[in-house]
Amino acid sequence: MRNNTQKIFECLIKGSFLSVDSTDFETKHLYDDVEENFSDYEAYFKEIGFQLEMGDGYFYFSRMGESKLQMDKKLQGLAQWVDILDFLKTYDIAFSVGYQFREAQISERISVDVELRDKARKLFQKQKTNYDVVRKLAEELQNKGFAELVSEQEGTYKVTSAFRYVEEMVNIITIYNEEDIPEV
């Protein structure tokens, strides 16, 4: 177990996820190790102030005893992911775990779909072109471990199990907000 501890920590400390369906051999190996030794890793990371969390096919860190400032920062980050998920589901309602996409396809679709173009412009306002927005989006998905590049030549990505985390968080927010709306 301990020979992978540093690699697991370095991956998860960045806010990334380890997914069961990763196509990257090392990531898959780390996932398998955590799955087999979850209680050992959980106890080890807890000692240094990190909570190892398990989702449906993924692992991630949460921080114990976060300050209000840290929580606010997390909520702002989550708000960005709400917008990203809205964009992706507008692009294709089936966009979820196992889905494969190409940057070029999304860029082309933005060019012909006004609603998608409006949402894309709001996602990454510093990006000038549709392709730049999609490139930044793919980079964000990849950095978090929500998608992996499966064909560099074709620019094809596969959505990993860790993407469920975003879907579940947005679902919780949606349910919470619907409960706050008074009935007429």
Side-chain angles (χ1 to χ4, degrees):
M1 174 198 95
R2 295 286 183 236
N3 59 345
N4 289 321
T5 305
Q6 182 175 352
K7 290 178 185 176
I8 293 166
F9 181 80
E10 288 171 357
C11 175
L12 299 180
I13 192 66
K14 297 183 293 187
S16 294
F17 292 72
L18 294 174
S19 294
V20 66
D21 53 356
S22 178
T23 57
D24 178 68
F25 176 78
E26 184 172 6
T27 302
K28 178 69 171 120
H29 172 71
L30 295 176
Y31 176 90
D32 291 341
D33 189 25
V34 172
E35 184 177 49
E36 289 174 25
N37 303 290
F38 181 77
S39 59
D40 292 337
Y41 280 117
E42 182 182 39
Y44 178 80
F45 290 127
K46 190 172 192 167
E47 286 294 317
I48 60 172
F50 291 91
Q51 183 65 42
L52 180 62
E53 304 281 355
M54 179 187 326
D56 187 8
Y58 59 90
F59 296 105
Y60 66 99
F61 272 157
S62 63
R63 186 85 185 205
M64 299 179 339
E66 290 183 310
S67 71
K68 183 174 175 6
L69 182 63
Q70 290 168 317
M71 290 300 290
D72 287 346
K73 189 174 179 180
K74 266 191 175 179
L75 287 173
Q76 289 172 351
L78 187 55
Q80 172 72 15
W81 283 102
V82 169
D83 292 341
I84 290 172
L85 185 62
D86 180 45
F87 171 82
L88 294 172
K89 294 293 186 173
T90 301
Y91 169 70
D92 189 339
I93 194 70
F95 197 102
S96 191
V97 176
Y99 188 89
Q100 291 195 5
F101 66 94
R102 289 194 346 248
E103 293 174 355
Q105 287 175 321
I106 297 175
S107 293
E108 290 170 17
R109 178 82 178 281
I110 291 171
S111 298
V112 297
D113 186 324
V114 175
E115 180 183 14
L116 207 57
R117 184 172 40 244
D118 289 343
K119 291 177 188 253
R121 286 186 183 141
K122 292 176 186 172
L123 282 183
F124 305 107
Q125 295 176 354
K126 293 180 181 177
Q127 307 306 317
K128 299 293 183 203
T129 67
N130 293 342
Y131 181 77
D132 290 342
V133 168
V134 175
R135 181 71 221 126
K136 179 72 173 167
L137 173 63
E139 182 182 299
E140 291 291 321
L141 289 167
Q142 201 173 10
N143 286 344
K144 288 292 187 185
F146 297 149
E148 292 182 346
L149 185 63
V150 292
S151 172
E152 192 169 342
Q153 184 178 359
E154 294 178 7
T156 304
Y157 293 83
K158 178 185 128 193
V159 179
T160 67
S161 294
F163 190 73
R164 284 188 187 110
Y165 175 82
V166 172
E167 291 177 312
E168 291 168 2
M169 286 292 134
V170 171
N171 214 9
I172 288 169
I173 291 169
T174 303
I175 291 168
Y176 180 77
N177 284 339
E178 287 174 356
E179 289 175 358
D180 286 347
I181 299 171
E183 290 186 33
V184 181

Short mmCIF file of all heavy atoms in Angstrom, two decimals, residues 123-161:
data_model
loop_
_atom_site.label_atom_id
_atom_site.label_comp_id
_atom_site.label_asym_id
_atom_site.label_seq_id
_atom_site.Cartn_x
_atom_site.Cartn_y
_atom_site.Cartn_z
N LEU A 123 -18.97 30.61 -20.28
CA LEU A 123 -18.10 29.66 -19.58
C LEU A 123 -16.69 30.22 -19.35
O LEU A 123 -16.20 30.23 -18.24
CB LEU A 123 -17.97 28.36 -20.37
CG LEU A 123 -19.11 27.37 -20.29
CD1 LEU A 123 -18.77 26.12 -21.08
CD2 LEU A 123 -19.45 27.02 -18.86
N PHE A 124 -16.06 30.61 -20.42
CA PHE A 124 -14.67 31.07 -20.36
C PHE A 124 -14.58 32.36 -21.16
O PHE A 124 -14.25 32.35 -22.34
CB PHE A 124 -13.72 30.00 -20.93
CG PHE A 124 -13.86 28.66 -20.27
CD1 PHE A 124 -14.46 27.60 -20.92
CD2 PHE A 124 -13.39 28.46 -18.97
CE1 PHE A 124 -14.60 26.37 -20.30
CE2 PHE A 124 -13.52 27.23 -18.35
CZ PHE A 124 -14.13 26.18 -19.02
N GLN A 125 -14.87 33.44 -20.52
CA GLN A 125 -15.01 34.72 -21.21
C GLN A 125 -13.71 35.23 -21.80
O GLN A 125 -13.73 36.05 -22.72
CB GLN A 125 -15.62 35.75 -20.26
CG GLN A 125 -17.04 35.38 -19.88
CD GLN A 125 -17.65 36.31 -18.86
OE1 GLN A 125 -17.00 37.20 -18.34
NE2 GLN A 125 -18.92 36.10 -18.57
N LYS A 126 -12.58 34.76 -21.31
CA LYS A 126 -11.29 35.22 -21.85
C LYS A 126 -10.96 34.54 -23.19
O LYS A 126 -10.08 35.01 -23.90
CB LYS A 126 -10.17 34.96 -20.85
CG LYS A 126 -10.29 35.78 -19.59
CD LYS A 126 -9.17 35.50 -18.63
CE LYS A 126 -9.33 36.32 -17.37
NZ LYS A 126 -8.30 36.03 -16.38
N GLN A 127 -11.64 33.45 -23.49
CA GLN A 127 -11.36 32.72 -24.73
C GLN A 127 -12.07 33.43 -25.89
O GLN A 127 -13.23 33.82 -25.77
CB GLN A 127 -11.84 31.26 -24.61
CG GLN A 127 -11.31 30.52 -23.40
CD GLN A 127 -9.80 30.54 -23.28
OE1 GLN A 127 -9.09 30.35 -24.26
NE2 GLN A 127 -9.30 30.79 -22.08
N LYS A 128 -11.36 33.59 -26.99
CA LYS A 128 -11.86 34.39 -28.11
C LYS A 128 -12.69 33.59 -29.11
O LYS A 128 -13.65 34.08 -29.66
CB LYS A 128 -10.69 35.06 -28.86
CG LYS A 128 -9.89 35.99 -27.98
CD LYS A 128 -10.69 37.20 -27.57
CE LYS A 128 -9.84 38.14 -26.75
NZ LYS A 128 -10.58 39.00 -25.89
N THR A 129 -12.29 32.35 -29.39
CA THR A 129 -12.97 31.56 -30.42
C THR A 129 -13.71 30.38 -29.79
O THR A 129 -13.43 29.99 -28.65
CB THR A 129 -11.97 31.02 -31.46
OG1 THR A 129 -11.12 30.04 -30.82
CG2 THR A 129 -11.13 32.13 -32.06
N ASN A 130 -14.62 29.81 -30.56
CA ASN A 130 -15.33 28.61 -30.10
C ASN A 130 -14.35 27.50 -29.80
O ASN A 130 -14.48 26.79 -28.80
CB ASN A 130 -16.33 28.13 -31.16
CG ASN A 130 -17.47 29.10 -31.36
OD1 ASN A 130 -17.72 29.97 -30.51
ND2 ASN A 130 -18.16 28.99 -32.47
N TYR A 131 -13.37 27.34 -30.66
CA TYR A 131 -12.39 26.27 -30.45
C TYR A 131 -11.61 26.50 -29.16
O TYR A 131 -11.35 25.56 -28.41
CB TYR A 131 -11.42 26.15 -31.63
CG TYR A 131 -10.43 25.03 -31.41
CD1 TYR A 131 -10.80 23.71 -31.59
CD2 TYR A 131 -9.13 25.30 -30.98
CE1 TYR A 131 -9.91 22.67 -31.34
CE2 TYR A 131 -8.24 24.27 -30.72
CZ TYR A 131 -8.63 22.96 -30.92
OH TYR A 131 -7.74 21.94 -30.66
N ASP A 132 -11.26 27.76 -28.87
CA ASP A 132 -10.54 28.07 -27.63
C ASP A 132 -11.37 27.72 -26.40
O ASP A 132 -10.86 27.20 -25.41
CB ASP A 132 -10.15 29.55 -27.58
CG ASP A 132 -9.07 29.92 -28.59
OD1 ASP A 132 -8.37 29.01 -29.08
OD2 ASP A 132 -8.93 31.13 -28.87
N VAL A 133 -12.68 27.99 -26.47
CA VAL A 133 -13.58 27.65 -25.37
C VAL A 133 -13.61 26.14 -25.18
O VAL A 133 -13.48 25.64 -24.05
CB VAL A 133 -15.01 28.19 -25.63
CG1 VAL A 133 -16.01 27.60 -24.63
CG2 VAL A 133 -15.03 29.71 -25.57
N VAL A 134 -13.76 25.41 -26.26
CA VAL A 134 -13.84 23.95 -26.18
C VAL A 134 -12.51 23.37 -25.71
O VAL A 134 -12.48 22.44 -24.91
CB VAL A 134 -14.27 23.35 -27.54
CG1 VAL A 134 -14.23 21.83 -27.49
CG2 VAL A 134 -15.67 23.84 -27.90
N ARG A 135 -11.42 23.94 -26.17
CA ARG A 135 -10.09 23.48 -25.73
C ARG A 135 -9.93 23.68 -24.22
O ARG A 135 -9.47 22.80 -23.51
CB ARG A 135 -9.01 24.26 -26.50
CG ARG A 135 -7.60 23.92 -26.19
CD ARG A 135 -7.23 22.53 -26.76
NE ARG A 135 -6.43 21.90 -25.73
CZ ARG A 135 -6.67 20.71 -25.20
NH1 ARG A 135 -7.65 19.98 -25.62
NH2 ARG A 135 -5.91 20.22 -24.27
N LYS A 136 -10.35 24.85 -23.73
CA LYS A 136 -10.28 25.14 -22.30
C LYS A 136 -11.21 24.20 -21.52
O LYS A 136 -10.84 23.70 -20.44
CB LYS A 136 -10.66 26.61 -22.05
CG LYS A 136 -10.66 27.03 -20.61
CD LYS A 136 -9.27 27.15 -20.06
CE LYS A 136 -9.30 27.74 -18.67
NZ LYS A 136 -8.04 27.60 -17.98
N LEU A 137 -12.38 23.94 -22.05
CA LEU A 137 -13.33 23.02 -21.42
C LEU A 137 -12.73 21.62 -21.31
O LEU A 137 -12.77 21.00 -20.24
CB LEU A 137 -14.63 22.98 -22.21
CG LEU A 137 -15.67 21.96 -21.77
CD1 LEU A 137 -16.16 22.25 -20.36
CD2 LEU A 137 -16.83 21.95 -22.76
N ALA A 138 -12.17 21.12 -22.39
CA ALA A 138 -11.54 19.79 -22.39
C ALA A 138 -10.39 19.75 -21.39
O ALA A 138 -10.21 18.76 -20.67
CB ALA A 138 -11.07 19.43 -23.79
N GLU A 139 -9.64 20.82 -21.32
CA GLU A 139 -8.52 20.92 -20.37
C GLU A 139 -9.02 20.86 -18.93
O GLU A 139 -8.45 20.16 -18.10
CB GLU A 139 -7.78 22.24 -20.62
CG GLU A 139 -6.57 22.47 -19.76
CD GLU A 139 -5.95 23.83 -20.07
OE1 GLU A 139 -5.53 24.04 -21.22
OE2 GLU A 139 -5.90 24.68 -19.15
N GLU A 140 -10.10 21.58 -18.63
CA GLU A 140 -10.68 21.57 -17.29
C GLU A 140 -11.18 20.18 -16.93
O GLU A 140 -10.95 19.69 -15.82
CB GLU A 140 -11.82 22.58 -17.18
CG GLU A 140 -11.39 24.02 -17.23
CD GLU A 140 -10.61 24.46 -16.00
OE1 GLU A 140 -10.97 24.04 -14.88
OE2 GLU A 140 -9.64 25.21 -16.16
N LEU A 141 -11.89 19.54 -17.85
CA LEU A 141 -12.40 18.19 -17.61
C LEU A 141 -11.26 17.22 -17.36
O LEU A 141 -11.31 16.38 -16.46
CB LEU A 141 -13.25 17.72 -18.80
CG LEU A 141 -14.61 18.39 -18.97
CD1 LEU A 141 -15.19 18.07 -20.34
CD2 LEU A 141 -15.58 17.95 -17.87
N GLN A 142 -10.21 17.35 -18.16
CA GLN A 142 -9.06 16.47 -18.05
C GLN A 142 -8.29 16.72 -16.75
O GLN A 142 -7.89 15.78 -16.07
CB GLN A 142 -8.15 16.66 -19.26
CG GLN A 142 -7.24 15.53 -19.53
CD GLN A 142 -6.49 15.70 -20.85
OE1 GLN A 142 -6.52 16.74 -21.48
NE2 GLN A 142 -5.82 14.65 -21.26
N ASN A 143 -8.08 17.97 -16.39
CA ASN A 143 -7.34 18.31 -15.16
C ASN A 143 -7.99 17.75 -13.91
O ASN A 143 -7.30 17.39 -12.96
CB ASN A 143 -7.16 19.82 -15.03
CG ASN A 143 -6.14 20.37 -15.99
OD1 ASN A 143 -5.34 19.64 -16.56
ND2 ASN A 143 -6.19 21.68 -16.21
N LYS A 144 -9.30 17.71 -13.88
CA LYS A 144 -10.02 17.19 -12.71
C LYS A 144 -10.15 15.66 -12.74
O LYS A 144 -10.54 15.07 -11.75
CB LYS A 144 -11.42 17.80 -12.63
CG LYS A 144 -11.40 19.24 -12.21
CD LYS A 144 -10.94 19.37 -10.77
CE LYS A 144 -11.09 20.79 -10.29
NZ LYS A 144 -10.54 20.95 -8.96
N GLY A 145 -9.85 15.07 -13.88
CA GLY A 145 -10.02 13.62 -13.99
C GLY A 145 -11.43 13.25 -14.42
O GLY A 145 -11.82 12.09 -14.32
N PHE A 146 -12.21 14.21 -14.90
CA PHE A 146 -13.57 13.94 -15.35
C PHE A 146 -13.60 13.40 -16.78
O PHE A 146 -14.61 12.86 -17.21
CB PHE A 146 -14.44 15.20 -15.28
CG PHE A 146 -14.62 15.73 -13.89
CD1 PHE A 146 -14.78 17.09 -13.67
CD2 PHE A 146 -14.65 14.89 -12.78
CE1 PHE A 146 -14.97 17.59 -12.39
CE2 PHE A 146 -14.84 15.39 -11.50
CZ PHE A 146 -15.00 16.75 -11.31
N ALA A 147 -12.51 13.58 -17.53
CA ALA A 147 -12.40 13.06 -18.88
C ALA A 147 -10.94 12.76 -19.17
O ALA A 147 -10.04 13.36 -18.55
CB ALA A 147 -12.94 14.07 -19.90
N GLU A 148 -10.72 11.83 -20.09
CA GLU A 148 -9.36 11.47 -20.49
C GLU A 148 -9.27 11.48 -22.01
O GLU A 148 -10.22 11.11 -22.69
CB GLU A 148 -9.00 10.07 -19.99
CG GLU A 148 -8.89 9.97 -18.50
CD GLU A 148 -8.49 8.58 -18.04
OE1 GLU A 148 -8.55 7.63 -18.84
OE2 GLU A 148 -8.10 8.44 -16.87
N LEU A 149 -8.13 11.89 -22.49
CA LEU A 149 -7.85 11.87 -23.92
C LEU A 149 -7.59 10.42 -24.32
O LEU A 149 -6.68 9.79 -23.80
CB LEU A 149 -6.63 12.74 -24.24
CG LEU A 149 -6.26 12.93 -25.70
CD1 LEU A 149 -7.38 13.64 -26.46
CD2 LEU A 149 -4.97 13.73 -25.81
N VAL A 150 -8.40 9.89 -25.21
CA VAL A 150 -8.23 8.50 -25.62
C VAL A 150 -7.62 8.38 -27.02
O VAL A 150 -7.10 7.34 -27.38
CB VAL A 150 -9.54 7.68 -25.54
CG1 VAL A 150 -9.98 7.50 -24.10
CG2 VAL A 150 -10.65 8.30 -26.37
N SER A 151 -7.71 9.47 -27.80
CA SER A 151 -7.08 9.49 -29.12
C SER A 151 -6.59 10.91 -29.39
O SER A 151 -7.39 11.79 -29.72
CB SER A 151 -8.05 9.05 -30.21
OG SER A 151 -7.48 9.26 -31.49
N GLU A 152 -5.28 11.09 -29.25
CA GLU A 152 -4.71 12.41 -29.49
C GLU A 152 -4.87 12.80 -30.96
O GLU A 152 -5.13 13.95 -31.28
CB GLU A 152 -3.24 12.41 -29.09
CG GLU A 152 -2.65 13.79 -29.04
CD GLU A 152 -1.28 13.82 -28.39
OE1 GLU A 152 -0.92 12.87 -27.68
OE2 GLU A 152 -0.57 14.81 -28.62
N GLN A 153 -4.72 11.83 -31.83
CA GLN A 153 -4.82 12.09 -33.27
C GLN A 153 -6.20 12.63 -33.65
O GLN A 153 -6.30 13.57 -34.43
CB GLN A 153 -4.53 10.80 -34.04
CG GLN A 153 -4.52 10.98 -35.54
CD GLN A 153 -4.17 9.67 -36.25
OE1 GLN A 153 -3.92 8.66 -35.62
NE2 GLN A 153 -4.14 9.72 -37.56
N GLU A 154 -7.25 12.05 -33.09
CA GLU A 154 -8.61 12.49 -33.41
C GLU A 154 -9.14 13.53 -32.43
O GLU A 154 -10.20 14.09 -32.64
CB GLU A 154 -9.55 11.28 -33.43
CG GLU A 154 -9.26 10.30 -34.53
CD GLU A 154 -10.19 9.09 -34.49
OE1 GLU A 154 -11.15 9.09 -33.69
OE2 GLU A 154 -9.95 8.16 -35.25
N GLY A 155 -8.41 13.75 -31.33
CA GLY A 155 -8.88 14.68 -30.31
C GLY A 155 -10.12 14.15 -29.59
O GLY A 155 -11.02 14.90 -29.26
N THR A 156 -10.15 12.85 -29.37
CA THR A 156 -11.30 12.20 -28.75
C THR A 156 -11.06 12.00 -27.25
O THR A 156 -10.00 11.55 -26.84
CB THR A 156 -11.57 10.81 -29.40
OG1 THR A 156 -11.75 11.00 -30.80
CG2 THR A 156 -12.80 10.16 -28.80
N TYR A 157 -12.07 12.34 -26.47
CA TYR A 157 -12.04 12.22 -25.02
C TYR A 157 -13.14 11.26 -24.58
O TYR A 157 -14.17 11.15 -25.23
CB TYR A 157 -12.28 13.58 -24.35
CG TYR A 157 -11.19 14.57 -24.58
CD1 TYR A 157 -11.14 15.32 -25.75
CD2 TYR A 157 -10.20 14.77 -23.63
CE1 TYR A 157 -10.12 16.25 -25.96
CE2 TYR A 157 -9.18 15.70 -23.83
CZ TYR A 157 -9.16 16.42 -25.01
OH TYR A 157 -8.16 17.33 -25.21
N LYS A 158 -12.89 10.63 -23.43
CA LYS A 158 -13.89 9.77 -22.81
C LYS A 158 -14.18 10.31 -21.41
O LYS A 158 -13.25 10.60 -20.66
CB LYS A 158 -13.39 8.33 -22.71
CG LYS A 158 -14.35 7.38 -22.04
CD LYS A 158 -13.73 6.01 -21.86
CE LYS A 158 -13.90 5.62 -20.43
NZ LYS A 158 -13.14 4.51 -20.00
N VAL A 159 -15.45 10.42 -21.06
CA VAL A 159 -15.87 10.89 -19.74
C VAL A 159 -15.73 9.74 -18.74
O VAL A 159 -16.20 8.64 -18.99
CB VAL A 159 -17.33 11.41 -19.79
CG1 VAL A 159 -17.77 11.89 -18.42
CG2 VAL A 159 -17.46 12.53 -20.82
N THR A 160 -15.07 10.02 -17.62
CA THR A 160 -14.81 8.99 -16.61
C THR A 160 -15.90 8.97 -15.52
O THR A 160 -16.73 9.87 -15.44
CB THR A 160 -13.45 9.22 -15.92
OG1 THR A 160 -13.53 10.42 -15.15
CG2 THR A 160 -12.32 9.30 -16.93
N SER A 161 -15.82 7.97 -14.68
CA SER A 161 -16.77 7.82 -13.57
C SER A 161 -16.75 9.00 -12.62
O SER A 161 -17.75 9.30 -11.96
CB SER A 161 -16.47 6.54 -12.79
OG SER A 161 -16.70 5.41 -13.57
#
